[in-house]
Amino acid sequence: MTDTPKKPNRRHVELAQKILEIATERGMAPGERMAEQAIASLCNVSRTPVRKALQILAEKGLVLPDTDGGYRFAADPVTLARTEADFADASEEDLHAAILRDLAAGRIGDVQTVASLQRRYEAGRQAVQNALIKLSEDNLAERGSGQQWLLKQFAVGAEALVKSFEFRLAAEPLALTMPDFKRDATAIFSLRQSMLALKAMDERDFDRRLFERTDMDFHLLIAKSCGNPFMAEALTAHHRRRFALPAANHVGTFRLMQSNTEHLQILDRSNGAK
C-alpha cells in the first residue's frame, strides 16, 4: 500500500513564500547561497523552521542542495511567477478573510462553532477548522469551552487601529531601552538595506508590498531583541495579529514614506549609527 504524502505544515509553507519574497526583493541570482542564519534573523524565527521551508522550496526546484551543505538559490523570475500561486489554498484564504470581514463589521458574534461557520459560509468542516487554526495562530481566535471558538472582535473592530497604535506607542519605546536589549547586526543590516531602497523611491513607484514586509520585520525585531521574554511575547503576539489583517490601503503613500524614514532613524540610533 502506498503511503499518502504528508502535507507540509502551513507555517513552513508561509515561511517558504516569505523566503522567496526576500530573495526577489534583494535580487538574488541563481547559484547564490541561502544563508540559514541570515534568513532566520530576518524572519524572526529559529533555523529549524528555515530548514523545513528550504526543503519545501527544494521539492519545487526553487533551491538546490549545496555540496557543502545547505542550499543555493535556483529560481529565475519566470519560474517564480509560475509557482507563486502554489503556496496558498485560495478557498481557505477566502474563508479566512470572510470571517475577519464579518467579525469586524459585527455581522457575526465573537462566539462561534465549526458547525455554525459551516452553515454560514457553506464550507466544509476541514476548511473551517483550518481557517480557525490560522486565526488562532495569529492570535485572533482561541478555543472556548466545548465546541466553541472565541473570536477576538476587539482586535479587528472599528477602534482596533487606534488602540493598537496606543499599545505600540507605550510598549515599543520601553522595549528599545531595556537593559538587556541585544542588537542583531545581521537582521539590522538587511532591514536597513530594504529601508534605504524604499527611501530612494518616489511616491509614484513606492513599493507598498516591500514596505509591509519591512514594517513587519522592523517591529518583530524590536520584540525579539528587547531581552525581556514577557515583553517580547506580548509585542510578538500583537504584531502577528496586526499583520494577519488585510493591509490598510487607505493610508497614503506619503505617510508610508514618512513611516519608513522614522523606522530607519530608530534603527540607526538603536544600532549606534552617527
Side-chain angles (χ1 to χ4, degrees):
M1 187 169 106
T2 304
D3 293 335
T4 303
K6 187 177 180 181
K7 187 176 180 180
N9 180 284
R10 186 181 62 79
R11 281 295 186 188
H12 295 156
V13 172
E14 290 180 352
L15 182 56
Q17 177 64 34
K18 184 175 181 179
I19 291 171
L20 281 187
E21 291 173 358
I22 291 170
T24 302
E25 290 162 5
R26 283 156 180 74
M28 290 189 71
E32 192 169 339
R33 185 171 176 78
M34 310 288 287
E36 285 183 4
Q37 187 55 59
I39 295 171
S41 296
L42 187 58
C43 298
N44 292 289
V45 296
S46 69
R47 294 176 67 172
T48 299
V50 169
R51 291 193 192 104
K52 295 289 187 182
L54 288 172
Q55 288 172 8
I56 292 172
L57 294 177
E59 291 171 0
K60 294 179 175 293
L62 299 173
V63 301
L64 295 174
D66 189 10
T67 53
D68 296 326
Y71 295 90
R72 290 188 179 275
F73 193 55
D76 55 48
V78 176
T79 305
L80 286 176
R82 285 203 309 264
T83 58
E84 184 176 357
D86 292 345
F87 287 95
D89 184 322
S91 61
E92 289 183 9
E93 289 296 322
D94 289 346
L95 177 58
H96 173 268
I99 293 172
L100 284 179
R101 283 196 303 271
D102 287 348
L103 185 64
R107 290 190 289 265
I108 59 174
D110 54 8
V111 179
Q112 296 289 331
T113 64
V114 172
S116 66
L117 293 174
Q118 278 185 264
R119 289 191 296 271
R120 177 176 179 82
Y121 298 105
E122 298 181 347
R125 184 175 184 81
Q126 189 61 53
V128 171
Q129 286 179 328
N130 289 344
L132 288 169
I133 290 171
K134 178 174 170 58
L135 288 169
S136 68
E137 289 175 347
D138 292 327
N139 203 24
L140 288 164
E142 61 184 44
R143 290 185 182 275
S145 59
Q147 301 297 314
Q148 292 182 336
W149 280 82
L150 309 179
L151 309 183
K152 299 184 180 181
Q153 198 275 340
F154 76 88
V156 298
E159 295 186 357
L161 187 63
V162 173
K163 297 302 182 184
S164 171
F165 182 72
E166 287 178 354
F167 174 78
R168 280 179 281 143
L169 197 60
E172 287 190 329
L174 180 60
L176 286 163
T177 60
M178 296 300 290
D180 292 328
F181 189 92
K182 295 181 180 178
R183 294 159 181 80
D184 186 329
T186 301
I188 288 174
F189 175 79
S190 183
L191 259 179
R192 195 169 186 277
Q193 294 301 109
S194 294
M195 289 178 179
L196 288 172
L198 287 167
K199 189 176 181 181
M201 300 175 187
D202 59 29
E203 287 191 63
R204 290 171 300 176
D205 61 7
F206 190 78
D207 189 338
R208 281 179 171 257
R209 186 175 181 184
L210 176 58
F211 172 81
E212 290 164 9
R213 284 222 32 78
T214 304
D215 185 45
M216 180 176 184
D217 291 339
F218 169 77
H219 289 293
L220 290 179
L221 180 61
I222 292 176
K224 171 188 172 185
S225 304
C226 74
N228 183 305
F230 295 98
M231 183 172 288
E233 181 181 56
L235 283 170
T236 299
H238 173 77
H239 287 302
R240 291 202 181 283
R241 173 195 294 154
R242 185 165 71 93
F243 287 108
L245 301 175
N249 292 323
H250 64 277
V251 179
T253 300
F254 181 72
R255 178 65 194 110
L256 299 184
M257 295 172 72
Q258 284 183 313
S259 180
N260 178 68
T261 300
E262 292 163 3
H263 290 173
L264 182 58
Q265 292 170 345
I266 292 170
L267 198 68
D268 284 346
R269 288 175 184 174
S270 70
N271 197 36
K274 301 297 183 183

